[in-house]
Amino acid sequence: MRPGWSRPRGRAGAAPLRRCRVPAMSPRSARLARLSRSVTFSACHRLHSKSLSDEENLKLFGKCNNPNGHGHNYKVVVTVRGEIDSVSGMVMNLTDLKEYMQEAIMEPLDHKNLDKDVPYFSEVVSTTENLAVFIWDNLQKLLPQGILYKVEVHETEQNVVVYKGEETIVK
């Protein structure tokens, strides 16, 4: 069925199509949209907190505390939000977003040992939550201000962290 057309409500069958009233947007009305792009990268890490004893780390993180680490094929989905430009028809040029993601995600993280190769994780436990914050912070430095909406980090098909740049909770 074509957009803007519907069948009259009532009995099913071959009822004739009729035009629906769809409110027209004035040329000056802004439309907001969200645009997402994903990348995948491989990295290894060891879940280990310097604030805990070896026994406490093993109890908390289990097999993910393996001294030799373990790896993941991470998937990251970055979503930006903004007005659809009346000239280009885009929220953002996907080529630009791809380049920003290359610089903020792929270059510092792909095929790296997060704990040893990424300075941020020398003092921060390399959980998926902290990885999402790291990626958010890197993207914020590159993207136009206010356009970044969320970062999703898929550690596995079952484990996903969504971060929207929320500030800390005051306790």
Side-chain angles (χ1 to χ4, degrees):
M1 189 164 314
R2 297 186 339 213
W5 291 82
S6 69
R7 295 205 183 276
R9 296 184 192 258
R11 65 180 182 88
L17 292 176
R18 66 178 177 203
R19 189 80 167 134
C20 294
R21 289 190 156 213
V22 177
M25 292 290 291
S26 75
R28 295 178 188 249
S29 297
R31 296 278 189 157
L32 296 175
R34 291 179 182 91
L35 172 68
S36 298
R37 181 172 174 83
S38 66
V39 293
T40 58
F41 69 91
S42 298
C44 69
H45 68 145
R46 176 188 187 202
L47 294 181
H48 187 86
S49 172
K50 293 177 182 177
S51 301
L52 301 173
S53 69
D54 287 344
E55 295 77 24
E56 290 170 318
N57 271 294
L58 184 57
K59 184 177 179 182
L60 178 61
F61 298 119
K63 67 181 182 177
C64 295
N65 183 245
N66 178 348
N68 296 315
H70 64 282
H72 296 283
N73 293 316
Y74 293 94
K75 176 182 175 183
V76 179
V77 181
V78 173
T79 303
V80 295
R81 175 183 61 186
E83 289 184 21
I84 299 172
D85 183 79
S86 62
V87 175
S88 69
M90 298 186 284
V91 170
M92 174 178 208
N93 189 315
L94 275 171
T95 302
D96 294 341
L97 182 57
K98 178 182 176 183
E99 290 173 7
Y100 293 139
M101 291 173 70
Q102 177 68 28
E103 184 176 341
I105 301 167
M106 300 304 288
E107 290 173 15
L109 301 174
D110 192 30
H111 286 82
K112 301 287 172 63
N113 180 320
L114 299 179
D115 306 311
K116 296 178 181 179
D117 299 330
V118 182
Y120 179 86
F121 293 109
S122 65
E123 298 300 321
V124 175
V125 181
S126 57
T127 61
T128 309
E129 294 89 337
N130 285 329
L131 184 58
V133 170
F134 173 82
I135 292 168
W136 176 277
D137 289 346
N138 277 359
L139 286 167
Q140 281 285 73
K141 296 172 191 170
L142 301 171
L143 289 167
Q145 188 174 4
I147 196 169
L148 185 56
Y149 177 68
K150 74 178 175 179
V151 170
E152 292 178 40
V153 181
H154 299 246
E155 182 183 61
T156 67
E157 288 185 21
Q158 294 79 30
N159 302 335
V160 181
V161 171
V162 176
Y163 185 69
K164 292 184 175 182
E166 291 92 348
E167 297 296 323
T168 58
I169 297 171
V170 179
K171 294 183 180 181

